[in-house]
Every structure is written in structure tokens, then in C-alpha cells.
Amino acid sequence: MNDIYILGIESSCDDTSAAVLRNGVLLSNVTASQDVHKAYGGVVPELASRAHQQNVVPVVDQALKRANIEKEQLSAIAFTRGPGLMGSLLVGVSFAKGLARSLEIPLLDVNHLQGHVMAHFIKESDDDNTAPPLPFLCLLVSGGNSQIVKVNAYNDMQVLGQTIDDAAGEAIDKCSKVMGLGYPGGPIIDRLARQGNPEAYKFSEPNIPGLDYSFSGLKTSFLYNLRDWVKEDPDFVEHHKEDLAASLEHTIVNILMKKLRLAVKQTGIKHVALAGGVSANNGLRNAFHDNAERYGWTIYIPKFSYTTDNAAMIGITGYCKYLDRDFCSIDKPAFSKVTFK
Ligand code: KG4
């Protein structure tokens, strides 16, 4: 049998990424991040699409070089079709379509959220066997999403619960911004939280039925409390940033884990995975380990480089679709709205 080479392309937000896989094993994964947004405290869509335009050719070129293959050897191109920022998506989608057409090879459209979950199936070598057994539960937490997903198969994922307003990462980033700590707030809050007292401050926790999440109340309660404290002491943030970060992280992790425990209880599934950018968070990882020990879960946490946006997860999803001959026609447009379909 001929080797199957898949090129994966990811451009849904502010990372331009390309990866090459041979027979489902990762050969290269190259990502160009965009520092331009730091000055604005969040991703500026217009600047993101411009940066993708500049990055996409060199990133794909590097991915092919590191994989040590020529583009003519590719079997198919997998690309993120959505959800994400439309201007960002259009760059990767158009590039993938143009390259596939010129090479006369098939296209594989990948849902970005499905890709995050599929990060668990990325193989760095033939004998890499760390993927969770099916079915498993996956807590998907990123800057744009917070969901509990039941994974029955790579192409059968059921959203059991999701945020009705802000995502967990978005709440962390916004609270970090109001403290004047910089962007993205996640890694900064994580670092500060390690030196603070998680019980120092209490912030409001939502009371939402079922397995859905809500983080906007917490964000508002953080903002109002901070405003009052700063009125009394203008240097309040500087004096208490470690305790503020630790208490904020503690509240968010509590909210996430409470619903996840409920999902385990309701489904009886004890194979539990973590995915998305927020899964880099040390407090959340520790809580995962604690719950695993206490409740007998088997847990799966991907390597850091596969938790944030990357093309390896798009490539592996595309490879599964390739084996099923589930190709995408060139007229399928990008989509921005959150869906698992
Ligand atoms: O998955 P991702 O790279 O992009 C989206 O698809 O949204 O996630 C980015 C999010 C940001 O909100 C960022 O602040 C958060 O992940 N993040 C973290 C950490 N590292 C990144 N949040 C908490 N702790 C971290 N160490």
C-alpha cells in the first residue's frame, strides 16, 4: 500500500499552523503565533487575517521541509472549516482549496472543536498508544468554548453541556485584562496563582441546571469587587494579584470540575480527557489528578503543544476522514458559528 500523506492547515483564530502526517503519524507541526494582538488586550480580527496571509505560505513550506517531503507526495489536504473568526478561516480555507486543486488531490474539512478533542489521537511514532478508549468524556476548554463532550467515535461526538455565555478562557482573559496584567491572561493568571491563596476571595459561582456552564456572572462579580477594592486602595491589584489570581482560578476550576463530575455520574464513563488551551492550566491539571484519584477516573491530558491551536489535530482528524473516504467538495464554505457538525 502507498503511504498516505496528509497536510493539515489551521487558521481559525490567531495561530497559523501546518502539519504533515504519514499514515496517521505526525512528521511535522509548525505554528506561527501572532504577537501583534498583545498591544490590544485581545485578538483583533482584521489584524489576525492579515497576519495569516503573511504566515500561511512560509508555515506550510516549513512543515513540508521538516517532514522531508515534496508537496507532490501529498495524498490530501485537511483544513479547519470552522468555527472561528471568518477572516482568519478564509485564509486557510482558500489556501487549502487552491493547493488541493493545483495538486489534484482531495480536500478534508475539519471542525475545529472536533480537532481539539482529536488531539488525543495524535501519534508521534508508530507505537504511540496513549489515546483514550471509546467512549470517553472530554472537557473542552479554550478561549472560545467550554464544553463537556461524549466521544463515541472520531465522527460521533455528543455535546452534553456547554457554556451559555462566556467561555472559561475568555473569563480568565477578561479578568486578567481588568487587573491590567496583559494578554493572553491564562498563562499569567496560572503563574501568579501558584504563589497565592485560593481561598483569599470568594467570587460568585453560577447555579445553572444540567451540564451547561456560565462564566459571565463570575466575570461581573470579579469586576465589581475589584472596582470597590481599588476605590479604597489604588494599589490593591499590585498588593494582592497572587491571591486574586489564585482565587479566580480556584473558582473557575471548581465550576468546571463540578459539572464534569456530574457528567461522569450521569454517563457512568470514567475515562475522562481534557482538551483546549485552558487545559495548560496547572490548577485544572491538579484538579484532574485529584478527581482521578478520588473517584477512580482514568485521565488523559494531551501534550501542551497539542492543547492550544495546532494543525496536528486537524491533520489526524483529516486522516480518519481520508480512511473513510469522507472528502469535502471545493464549494463548501467556511463557517464561524460554534457547532460540532
Ligand atoms: O485553545 P486555544 O489556544 O484557542 C482557542 O481555540 O480558543 O485557547 C486559548 C485560551 C486563552 O483564553 C488562554 O488564556 C488560555 O487558553 N490559556 C490558559 C493557559 N494557557 C492558555 N488558561 C489558563 N491557564 C493557562 N496556563
Side-chain angles (χ1 to χ4, degrees):
M1 201 186 79
N2 287 340
D3 284 329
I4 299 166
Y5 286 99
I6 305 288
L7 170 68
I9 297 176
E10 155 65 33
S11 75
S12 64
C13 190
D14 61 341
D15 292 304
T16 321
S17 185
V20 175
L21 290 80
R22 179 175 55 216
N23 302 326
V25 177
L26 188 66
L27 298 180
S28 64
N29 182 40
V30 178
T31 303
S33 302
Q34 303 176 359
D35 280 344
V36 63
H37 307 289
K38 282 196 172 132
Y40 301 92
V43 177
V44 183
E46 173 65 19
L47 296 180
S49 43
R50 286 189 210 178
H52 283 303
Q53 288 271 17
Q54 283 181 334
N55 293 340
V56 69
V57 171
V59 163
V60 168
D61 196 49
Q62 268 300 310
L64 290 168
K65 281 204 176 95
R66 286 192 202 169
N68 205 15
I69 67 157
E70 300 296 328
K71 60 182 182 311
E72 289 73 19
Q73 288 174 264
L74 291 172
S75 315
I77 300 178
F79 64 98
T80 304
R81 193 158 75 85
L85 298 172
M86 189 46 89
S88 292
L89 287 165
L90 285 177
V91 178
V93 171
S94 306
F95 183 88
K97 287 180 177 178
L99 186 58
R101 176 55 68 95
S102 76
L103 295 170
E104 295 181 10
I105 54 175
L107 282 163
L108 302 152
D109 63 323
V110 175
N111 181 304
H112 180 77
L113 301 178
Q114 183 190 14
H116 268 305
V117 176
M118 289 297 289
H120 287 280
F121 294 85
I122 295 169
K123 287 169 73 133
E124 292 184 336
S125 63
D126 279 317
D127 49 14
D128 183 347
N129 258 330
T130 48
L134 298 165
F136 66 93
L137 293 181
C138 186
L139 176 66
L140 171 51
V141 269
S142 69
N145 303 282
S146 302
Q147 301 181 324
I148 299 175
V149 183
K150 181 176 172 233
V151 185
N152 301 312
Y154 90 86
N155 55 359
D156 178 7
M157 298 187 188
Q158 193 185 345
V159 179
L160 303 181
Q162 61 189 324
T163 181
I164 58 166
D165 41 54
D166 290 352
E170 197 178 347
I172 296 176
D173 290 342
K174 284 183 180 160
C175 291
S176 160
K177 192 175 174 181
V178 299
M179 285 197 277
L181 295 178
Y183 177 85
I188 304 169
I189 296 288
D190 192 350
R191 185 170 42 78
L192 290 171
R194 307 280 68 78
Q195 303 149 39
N197 172 10
E199 310 280 353
Y201 304 103
K202 287 261 169 289
F203 301 112
S204 90
E205 289 196 26
N207 198 0
I208 307 282
L211 296 174
D212 283 338
Y213 288 118
S214 164
F215 291 99
S216 73
L218 163 65
K219 187 186 66 187
T220 313
S221 127
F222 188 86
L223 182 71
Y224 286 175
N225 277 308
L226 197 66
R227 207 181 47 186
D228 293 345
W229 293 326
V230 169
K231 241 186 238 162
E232 292 185 5
D233 170 11
D235 294 326
F236 187 85
V237 172
E238 191 44 40
H239 293 150
H240 302 281
K241 57 182 189 291
E242 291 85 2
D243 285 348
L244 285 166
S247 303
L248 173 69
E249 181 190 275
H250 180 68
T251 312
I252 290 182
V253 170
N254 261 351
I255 297 170
L256 290 171
M257 295 310 293
K258 214 184 256 178
K259 292 289 170 97
L260 190 57
R261 281 194 296 272
L262 185 60
V264 170
K265 207 168 161 191
Q266 287 182 1
T267 59
I269 297 171
K270 288 194 167 183
H271 289 279
V272 190
L274 193 54
V278 182
S279 59
N281 182 266
N282 283 289
L284 183 57
R285 285 176 176 237
N286 293 341
F288 242 65
H289 285 287
D290 288 350
N291 278 263
E293 216 167 279
R294 190 170 306 171
Y295 301 107
W297 301 355
T298 310
I299 54 169
Y300 304 85
I301 303 177
K303 253 180 138 173
F304 176 72
S305 51
Y306 305 139
T307 59
T308 48
D309 289 349
N310 68 87
M313 67 187 197
I314 304 305
I316 188 65
T317 314
Y319 175 69
C320 295
K321 292 187 95 167
Y322 185 92
L323 294 181
D324 281 348
R325 293 282 183 261
D326 185 5
F327 301 124
C328 158
S329 61
I330 200 156
D331 58 345
K332 266 196 178 176
F335 63 91
S336 55
K337 259 182 96 173
V338 172
T339 165
F340 247 95
K341 292 270 178 299

